[in-house]
Amino acid sequence: MEKQYILSFDQGTTSCRAILFNRDAQIVGVAQKEFTQYYPTPGWVEHDAMEIWGSQMGVAREVLETQGIKPSEVAAIGITNQRETTVVWDRHTGRPVHNAIVWQDRRTAPLCDELKERGLEEYIREATGLVADAYFSGTKIRWILDNVEGAREKAERGDLLFGTMDTWLVWNLTRGECHVTDVSNASRTLLYNICTLEWDQRMLDELGIPAAMLPEVRPSSEVYGTTGAEMFGGARVPIAGIAGDQQAALFGQACFEKGMVKNTYGTGCFLLMNTGETPVPSKSGLLTTIAWGLNGKVEYALEGAIFIAGAAVQWLRDELKLIDSAEDSEYYAGKVDDAGGVYMVPAFAGLGAPYWDMYARGAIFGLTRGTRKEHITRATLDSLAYQTRDVIDAMQADSGITLKSLRVDGGAVANNVVMQFQADMLGVNVDRPVVTESTALGAAYLAGIAVGLWTQDEVVNKGRLERTFEPQMNAELRERRYKGWKKAVRRTMNWEREDEE
Ligand SMILES: Nc1ncnc2c1ncn2[C@@H]1O[C@H](COP(=O)(O)OP(=O)(O)O)[C@@H](O)[C@H]1O
Ligand SMILES: O=P(O)(O)OC[C@H](O)CO
């Protein structure tokens, strides 16, 4: 039977998805399952790695069954994942020693302050391309070693393994044979040297993390191993692509040329600009990160990471219960001309790029007795566009490149109000592709390239636009609105710091 499908595992922050692509890179089936979010204390966010493994396998089997496709017809699996989220497990039992600590979790902020006090900021930026923030995996591993009874001793004996979700899934899929990650995921750990392309011994020493816990770092497109025979009814499917979800989206949008930018609107918003084969250091609060390793070389990106975007819409739905579904936000926001002077700063997990304030917290400003839920909903949607503007301004300053248009993808780009306001706030066209599942598509491309289903050149021609949003707001109004946003952001900063008056 011809092997003509690629199965993408998209292990996101809120759900596991399995997406089946045919050899024309068209989606033939999708299965998705949300999993539990744990908030044990304010500012902490955890996932159950066993639940994620079960959900991911569940959706993979479901999509094959519903489409009537045999596992033996799948040429390869590509894996893409929420990055930084940290799981540590026992290599003998396969059981995690603690819930996974999610990228949004702020518990290690004091440890990051300590790294700064020890004068490590510059070294961190140079060696890892990152900043001393609780976002990244390194301090989360350290927290587990310090807080789970017996973990440090076991880790030192070589009994514990660390992984981001890609590593965890591949380890389970291969029944413990492969403990690997790819360069794009490694570059988000705070432990990987993006210049020498090795684990950074100084960072390991500074954080007290035994090297024996770490996975082997590999390119983003190659056969890492095959699935255990019992996983898919006897078929041994090659696992042939791994990339962090934001880098995968950059690949899926075919941003292969230097200067090409995409923005993914999911739980958070992540803007990445391809900067080619040399790392570009940032002076404006962006991250320097590895885009992918492919064809014997590594390419880099500048990244603006916004922690809360679509998650703010979920908050309106789940916590405030202002809307019944994320889609409803478009309906309510569309009933008013604008946010009526209301600004919503969703600094629920501090602020990422370009502010990097672990102690900022969310706030709504400009409320009056005339403020309605439509205004609050509108202000929440506006915050996705304002935060993106913050990052684009930084990116233009760092790269010297002026943005001509923005390619978008991710769940929240279905929202036309957000897309129009984004074009207005940037003053450039916003291009929405037909396939907005760029993340899964990128992982499929990487896996398909590794098994010879297509070449990188063929990938360039596959993307098609569904709609372009053109700016309609005049420049004076745009800048006035944006100034209000900056004022609101300033007032949320440092909120959680104990010593702040
Ligand atoms: N029509 C919509 N309007 C606004 N936000 C939306 C809409 N549809 C989905 N979202 C938001 O997008 C996010 C889901 O996008 P997705 O790309 O699946 O995210 P992730 O990969 O981070 O789990 C959710 O946070 C949801 O609130
Ligand atoms: O799950 P997503 O798509 O919101 O992505 C999360 C990021 O990878 C975190 O860095």
Side-chain angles (χ1 to χ4, degrees):
M1 192 159 304
E2 207 193 344
K3 292 185 186 297
Q4 53 182 326
Y5 297 100
I6 298 284
L7 183 56
S8 266
F9 285 13
D10 181 359
Q11 201 300 290
T13 309
T14 53
S15 72
C16 292
R17 266 189 296 237
I19 305 187
L20 199 59
F21 291 90
N22 64 18
R23 60 162 63 240
D24 293 322
Q26 287 161 337
I27 295 178
V28 292
V30 181
Q32 174 166 7
K33 193 166 190 305
E34 288 203 9
F35 53 83
T36 320
Q37 308 287 317
Y38 296 93
Y39 308 109
T41 195
W44 293 26
V45 190
E46 296 181 356
H47 292 159
D48 175 351
M50 291 306 283
E51 184 187 357
I52 288 183
W53 163 238
S55 303
Q56 191 62 64
M57 278 310 286
V59 289
R61 291 189 180 116
E62 182 188 330
V63 74
L64 292 173
E65 272 164 34
T66 49
Q67 298 307 315
I69 287 160
K70 295 193 183 63
S72 54
E73 292 174 83
V74 176
I77 291 172
I79 294 184
T80 182
N81 55 290
Q82 54 167 327
R83 305 162 307 166
E84 301 96 14
T85 297
T86 296
V87 53
V88 173
W89 68 97
D90 186 312
R91 68 156 79 228
H92 309 293
T93 64
R95 306 289 305 184
V97 299
H98 192 273
N99 269 345
I101 303 183
V102 178
W103 57 276
Q104 294 160 324
D105 190 293
R106 309 277 83 197
R107 80 185 65 181
T108 58
L111 186 51
C112 295
D113 288 338
E114 206 186 300
L115 296 177
K116 288 183 196 161
E117 279 153 25
R118 287 183 356 224
L120 274 165
E121 263 178 300
E122 207 181 309
Y123 182 77
I124 289 175
R125 186 170 282 289
E126 273 169 20
T128 70
L130 307 176
V131 296
D133 191 273
Y135 179 24
F136 308 104
S137 318
T139 58
K140 300 179 196 291
I141 305 176
R142 166 66 183 263
W143 189 93
I144 291 174
L145 295 182
D146 285 349
N147 289 278
V148 175
E149 211 188 317
R152 177 163 296 284
E153 297 72 50
K154 278 191 182 166
E156 275 160 9
R157 280 203 308 269
D159 292 337
L160 297 189
L161 300 177
F162 151 74
T164 38
M165 282 300 160
D166 53 316
T167 306
W168 169 244
L169 293 178
V170 175
W171 192 84
N172 279 290
L173 280 167
T174 61
R175 283 279 171 243
E177 268 177 32
C178 298
H179 185 224
V180 298
T181 189
D182 87 302
V183 280
S184 71
N185 274 294
S187 74
R188 314 297 297 189
T189 56
L190 208 70
L191 305 174
Y192 191 66
N193 191 308
I194 61 166
C195 306
T196 64
L197 304 180
E198 284 165 351
W199 292 116
D200 189 90
Q201 194 54 52
R202 174 153 181 211
M203 288 309 298
L204 293 177
D205 293 343
E206 294 285 354
L207 284 165
I209 295 173
M213 300 178 72
L214 304 175
E216 191 187 330
V217 184
R218 308 269 284 266
S220 312
S221 175
E222 67 170 34
V223 177
Y224 309 95
T226 52
T227 57
E230 71 287 12
M231 300 284 160
F232 292 105
R236 303 204 64 148
V237 186
I239 303 156
I242 304 179
D245 56 7
Q246 304 310 325
Q247 290 94 329
L250 191 69
F251 201 85
Q253 289 266 26
C255 292
F256 300 150
E257 308 282 331
K258 231 165 138 165
M260 291 177 87
V261 182
K262 70 87 203 180
N263 192 17
T264 301
Y265 299 70
T267 303
C269 255
F270 298 88
L271 269 111
L272 270 78
M273 175 187 275
N274 184 326
T275 62
E277 287 177 52
T278 36
V280 174
S282 172
K283 291 186 196 68
S284 315
L286 302 180
L287 305 172
T288 306
T289 205
I290 295 181
W292 46 74
L294 181 66
N295 299 327
K297 60 183 192 218
V298 156
E299 292 195 54
Y300 294 86
L302 268 176
E303 171 172 325
I306 296 163
F307 295 152
I308 302 288
V313 180
Q314 283 174 317
W315 178 75
L316 292 183
R317 183 193 66 185
D318 300 340
E319 311 306 329
L320 296 196
K321 309 214 185 299
L322 284 190
I323 51 176
D324 290 331
S325 68
E327 295 75 46
D328 274 1
S329 64
E330 180 171 347
Y331 169 75
Y332 289 110
K335 292 208 325 192
V336 287
D337 290 338
D338 54 44
V342 176
Y343 286 92
M344 195 279 203
V345 184
F348 302 159
L351 287 169
Y355 305 103
W356 297 107
D357 182 348
M358 296 182 283
Y359 300 99
R361 288 295 179 268
I364 302 177
F365 296 96
L367 300 175
T368 64
R369 285 190 68 180
T371 301
R372 303 203 314 260
K373 87 171 186 182
E374 287 82 356
H375 295 117
I376 292 179
T377 305
R378 178 77 186 233
T380 303
L381 296 183
D382 290 353
S383 74
L384 276 61
Y386 285 129
Q387 294 185 96
T388 296
R389 162 84 188 258
D390 290 340
V391 169
I392 291 283
D393 285 359
M395 213 165 245
Q396 295 189 142
D398 273 347
S399 66
I401 295 170
T402 305
L403 187 78
K404 293 194 188 66
S405 63
L406 184 68
R407 293 182 183 208
V408 299
D409 56 65
V413 301
N415 193 309
N416 295 319
V417 170
V418 175
M419 293 296 99
Q420 185 55 52
F421 193 64
Q422 188 67 84
D424 288 342
M425 209 21 71
L426 294 175
V428 301
N429 287 357
V430 169
D431 293 328
R432 185 165 69 188
V434 176
V435 177
T436 56
E437 296 281 4
S438 312
T439 300
L441 182 59
Y445 282 155
L446 289 164
I449 290 171
V451 295
L453 206 65
W454 44 58
T455 64
Q456 192 174 352
D457 290 342
E458 285 166 347
V459 162
V460 177
N461 302 319
K462 290 189 197 289
R464 280 183 296 122
L465 288 189
E466 180 258 337
R467 181 166 168 189
T468 294
F469 293 83
E470 293 173 9
Q472 286 167 2
M473 189 180 280
N474 71 55
E476 188 273 324
L477 181 57
R478 179 202 317 145
E479 294 314 311
R480 188 149 35 91
R481 292 256 166 90
Y482 185 59
K483 215 169 141 193
W485 164 257
K486 296 289 271 188
K487 181 160 93 178
V489 168
R490 275 197 303 277
R491 299 201 175 175
T492 67
M493 292 185 77
N494 270 316
W495 183 262
E496 193 64 17
R497 253 190 210 287
E498 279 168 27
D499 56 3
E500 196 63 19
E501 288 287 301

